[in-house]
Amino acid sequence: MEKLSSNIIANSLNFHARDNANSIAMVYGDRRTTWKELGNRANRMANALIGAGVRKNDKVAFMFHNCPAFLETNYAIQCAGAIPVPVNYRFTGPEITYQVNHSDARVFIYEATFAEAVEAAAPQLAKIERFVCDGPSTITGCAAYEDFLNSGKTDIPQVATDWSDVAVMVYTGGTTGFPKGVMLTYAGHVDMFCNLFASIVTRTAEVDLTAEQLKGITKIVAVPGMGLAPGLLRTRLARKILSSKKAYTSIEKAVRYLLTHPPATRIGYKSTVRFMTPSMPFFHDASYQILMLGVLLGNTCQIMVDGLSFDPEKILSAVEAERPLFMANVPTGWKKLVSFPDFHKYNVKSLLAIATGAGVCPVDLKKKMFEKFPGVLLLDMFGQTEMTPITSFRVDTGPENLKERSVGKSILDVRVVDEKGNDVPQGEVGEIMYRSGWIMKGYYKDNEKTAEAMQDGWFKGGDLGYIDEDGEVRLVDRKKECINTGGEKVFPMEVEEVLHHHPAVDDVCIIGVPDEEWGHTVRAVIKPVAGTTPDPADILAFCKGKLAGFKIPRSVVLVDELPLSPVGKMLRAKIRELYGKP
């Protein structure tokens, strides 16, 4: 079969740029970019990186909000055979310093919107040989983004990559300590996509779908033969066949062929899948995975709302104007959207399927989502970055039969174990563990943490939950102390380390407080230095510039003593019990 490059992404991207040239690959406000334009710009940037000395498996850090530059930069890095290291654009200088230095990145590409934080970190980034900024920069020798991109040729890069190579390094924290670089491979992404698509098709054969929902599945899951599904799924025999293991295997093979043989993707070019992920930043793997799927399929159109903040009015206007088929949000995003007072003024009927992820979506919120988007298919996705990232999903077809804290059936091997690693009976709470072919390659430069996360080939997810009578995963809580606030993770020790430097803080414990909008908010429980009574506002102001905004405590409680164990460890459960009420 014809091949344009020995580089996986360059091969796929340039097939789409040639054979689906005029189809729109991404929309950002009023700006539209075709696959041909995206391919040419990614080629130029890739060749500019190669010209700047970037070699295979080198790391390139980049920091953009959800905009076209994120996509073209990411694909360019991969086309150059290098490894993208997306940086959270909410990070402060010290946080950028840690991630970029730890990743061993040689080039740092960023947008001027975040210049203050990046330029504060720049003097400490000794390994960075070249800075590139989209906008004004005060860093000596920093190249202008467009000038750097245009210095490269449009020739298709030929740096060979293999499916076992690292496709991206996404930084995630454990529940304690500094963020870890999770190495995810090209093969891992393909394996996950194949099993996810096969699971979606076979599981929708098990539920009663309306004609519109059937149509939605066939439009979104671009697998050969899916056009026949609406007719087939109306018959009991066909539904039985499609929900079988044999059908699953056939669909998985078909998807794998599509994703690994770019010329075969022409079959989907006539059916562009227009989608939005407005509350999911691209540096987060919940959204990043879709960008990987898009470049392999070549029939997607990523619709982005211009701007940094989650603006319900802009998002609903974009839905009405651009008519996406699919939209995904974190639960906090969905809550803001469905509670927007002027929601009724917008036409959202183009949406055939919606998805929620990166946090548990409450049943009450799902009911409101069905009220505002009647007739849609709702997919509740769950996963972890280390699993590339999806591990399970639930299909909801309406407000009936919703389950609290259920994230559906797994798409891989799953176990629930006790503290000794023994399987627990169905319905009993334990730690959830996973095994699959798309697990991470490991944590970058941290064999010890990688070994700690694995047990005989199983990944220890750190979530407490159980398998219910329907075989669905029900989440109970995090095993450790990670705080999930609006889809972002906050690690208590990192915040505590900052607050320990405050002159009036003797000791501190960071806890999560239940919150209807954010899931949890961050609270600092502080034992002041004797004879002092720090102002809570001063405590919060102290954190600014040292922590990303979502990590800064929303509330402060001053106490005389913090409960400690006999060996001096903080008794977090007791502290939550005493001071963790909203």
Side-chain angles (χ1 to χ4, degrees):
M1 186 170 279
E2 186 183 6
K3 206 171 189 180
L4 299 179
S5 175
S6 54
N7 180 286
I8 292 167
I9 299 301
N11 191 41
S12 287
L13 180 56
N14 283 283
F15 259 107
H16 309 323
R18 187 190 71 181
D19 296 347
N20 201 22
N22 297 320
S23 183
I24 303 299
M26 52 187 178
V27 174
Y28 181 75
D30 295 329
R31 175 183 167 187
R32 280 162 166 67
T33 304
T34 64
W35 280 101
K36 182 178 181 180
E37 291 166 339
L38 176 58
N40 284 340
R41 287 179 65 82
N43 287 347
R44 281 188 179 279
M45 175 67 82
N47 287 317
L49 288 168
I50 293 168
V54 171
R55 297 294 178 258
K56 183 176 178 180
N57 292 330
D58 280 347
K59 320 301 184 303
V60 177
F62 63 114
M63 189 174 182
F64 292 93
H65 73 289
N66 289 15
C67 64
F70 187 107
L71 279 80
E72 64 189 22
T73 299
N74 178 81
Y75 297 147
I77 296 166
Q78 293 171 323
C79 287
I83 299 172
V85 183
V87 179
N88 186 334
Y89 59 76
R90 297 168 180 155
F91 274 1
T92 62
E95 293 163 317
I96 293 168
T97 299
Y98 175 78
Q99 179 175 330
V100 174
N101 281 340
H102 182 268
S103 73
D104 297 319
R106 296 180 58 197
V107 176
F108 193 174
I109 307 172
Y110 68 102
E111 64 174 291
T113 309
F114 315 115
E116 184 179 352
V118 174
E119 290 166 12
Q124 286 76 49
L125 304 180
K127 298 175 187 177
I128 295 296
E129 300 167 13
R130 175 70 64 96
F131 286 93
V132 179
C133 181
D134 190 1
S137 172
T138 62
I139 299 175
T140 303
C142 181
Y145 183 87
E146 289 296 328
D147 290 346
F148 183 75
L149 183 150
N150 288 319
S151 71
K153 296 180 179 179
T154 58
D155 297 350
I156 299 174
Q158 297 295 328
V159 181
T161 51
D162 185 80
W163 291 102
S164 62
D165 287 340
V166 175
V168 65
M169 198 151 76
V170 179
Y171 271 75
T172 183
T175 54
T176 58
F178 289 106
K180 300 183 288 293
V182 181
M183 297 182 287
L184 303 175
T185 67
Y186 292 101
H189 282 91
V190 169
D191 286 345
M192 189 275 290
F193 294 142
C194 292
N195 284 274
L196 176 63
F197 276 24
S199 296
I200 289 174
V201 174
T202 56
R203 288 184 199 173
T204 50
E206 299 171 357
V207 296
D208 292 323
L209 301 178
T210 65
E212 281 300 304
Q213 288 170 337
L214 284 170
K215 191 188 298 181
I217 286 293
T218 61
K219 285 186 176 182
I220 293 167
V221 183
V223 178
M226 277 301 292
L228 302 173
L232 288 173
L233 286 172
R234 290 193 182 96
T235 69
R236 186 177 298 176
L237 176 61
R239 287 174 64 174
K240 184 177 180 180
I241 293 171
L242 278 173
S243 61
S244 68
K245 179 63 179 175
K246 190 172 183 180
Y248 182 102
T249 302
S250 298
I251 296 166
E252 189 270 340
K253 285 182 178 178
V255 176
R256 186 176 301 279
Y257 188 80
L258 275 179
L259 298 179
T260 56
H261 295 79
T265 59
R266 294 189 188 104
I267 194 170
Y269 285 170
K270 291 181 180 179
S271 305
T272 300
V273 179
R274 299 171 68 81
F275 69 97
M276 299 175 69
T277 59
S279 63
M280 293 180 168
F282 293 163
F283 62 75
H284 198 295
D285 205 43
S287 190
Y288 185 90
Q289 56 165 323
I290 305 178
L291 307 188
M292 286 294 291
L293 179 62
V295 75
L296 294 175
L297 279 177
N299 73 332
T300 60
C301 176
Q302 171 84 52
I303 299 165
M304 295 164 276
V305 176
D306 58 350
L308 291 174
S309 61
F310 185 90
D311 186 331
E313 184 175 1
K314 278 189 174 183
I315 292 164
L316 292 169
S317 295
V319 172
E320 183 171 88
E322 301 296 341
R323 299 187 59 76
L325 300 173
F326 174 77
M327 179 159 64
N329 278 306
V330 299
T332 303
W334 282 120
K335 183 170 183 180
K336 290 181 177 179
L337 210 55
V338 300
S339 61
F340 183 60
D342 292 334
F343 185 99
H344 64 281
K345 295 181 180 179
Y346 298 90
N347 184 344
V348 297
K349 291 181 180 177
S350 67
L351 288 168
L352 301 176
I354 58 177
T356 180
V360 175
C361 189
V363 163
D364 285 346
L365 178 54
K366 285 186 177 181
K367 287 179 180 177
K368 291 175 183 175
M369 290 160 68
F370 277 118
E371 280 179 25
K372 299 294 186 179
F373 302 95
V376 297
L377 199 67
L378 197 164
L379 302 176
D380 192 339
M381 304 286 192
F382 180 72
Q384 293 181 267
T385 300
E386 290 89 342
M387 300 305 299
T388 321
I390 296 176
T391 58
S392 66
F393 72 92
R394 178 178 165 84
V395 180
D396 288 310
T397 59
E400 312 82 15
N401 303 317
L402 296 174
K403 282 186 180 181
E404 200 68 76
R405 305 191 72 82
S406 171
V407 290
K409 296 177 181 177
S410 67
I411 63 171
L412 39 64
D413 295 333
V414 63
R415 296 170 62 200
V416 180
V417 301
D418 60 21
E419 290 293 333
K420 295 180 180 179
N422 300 315
D423 292 333
V424 301
Q426 182 178 339
E428 189 172 312
V429 174
E431 182 177 6
I432 303 170
M433 298 179 69
Y434 308 105
R435 183 176 63 184
S436 77
W438 57 92
I439 195 168
M440 67 173 178
K441 197 166 190 173
Y443 295 122
Y444 184 61
K445 297 194 303 190
D446 204 333
N447 292 333
E448 185 179 340
K449 285 281 196 322
T450 301
E452 286 176 7
M454 303 298 297
Q455 181 178 311
D456 300 324
W458 291 81
F459 176 73
K460 294 184 278 190
D463 287 297
L464 294 175
Y466 62 94
I467 307 298
D468 70 13
E469 65 279 2
D470 297 318
E472 296 190 5
V473 177
R474 298 280 197 111
L475 297 178
V476 175
D477 204 347
R478 279 296 288 170
K479 186 177 181 181
K480 294 184 180 177
E481 305 303 332
C482 179
I483 301 167
N484 194 315
T485 177
E488 292 284 358
K489 292 180 178 180
V490 178
F491 313 108
M493 283 185 66
E494 184 182 6
V495 184
E496 288 161 6
E497 184 177 349
V498 169
L499 286 174
H500 272 300
H501 291 287
H502 191 287
V505 173
D506 181 43
D507 211 348
V508 56
C509 179
I510 296 297
I511 59 173
V513 177
D515 182 85
E516 202 169 298
E517 181 177 3
W518 298 99
H520 286 84
T521 56
V522 180
R523 173 172 291 171
V525 183
I526 292 174
K527 177 188 174 185
V529 170
T532 67
T533 307
D535 182 354
D538 177 58
I539 295 289
L540 304 185
F542 181 81
C543 296
K544 290 183 179 178
K546 302 179 181 70
L547 293 166
F550 63 88
K551 299 178 183 178
I552 296 175
R554 295 288 187 91
S555 58
V556 175
V557 174
L558 303 180
V559 298
D560 293 329
E561 293 293 337
L562 286 168
L564 302 175
S565 74
V567 293
K569 289 186 177 180
M570 204 78 70
L571 297 175
R572 292 183 187 274
K574 183 65 176 176
I575 294 169
R576 277 196 298 268
E577 180 186 327
L578 293 171
Y579 309 111
K581 293 182 176 60

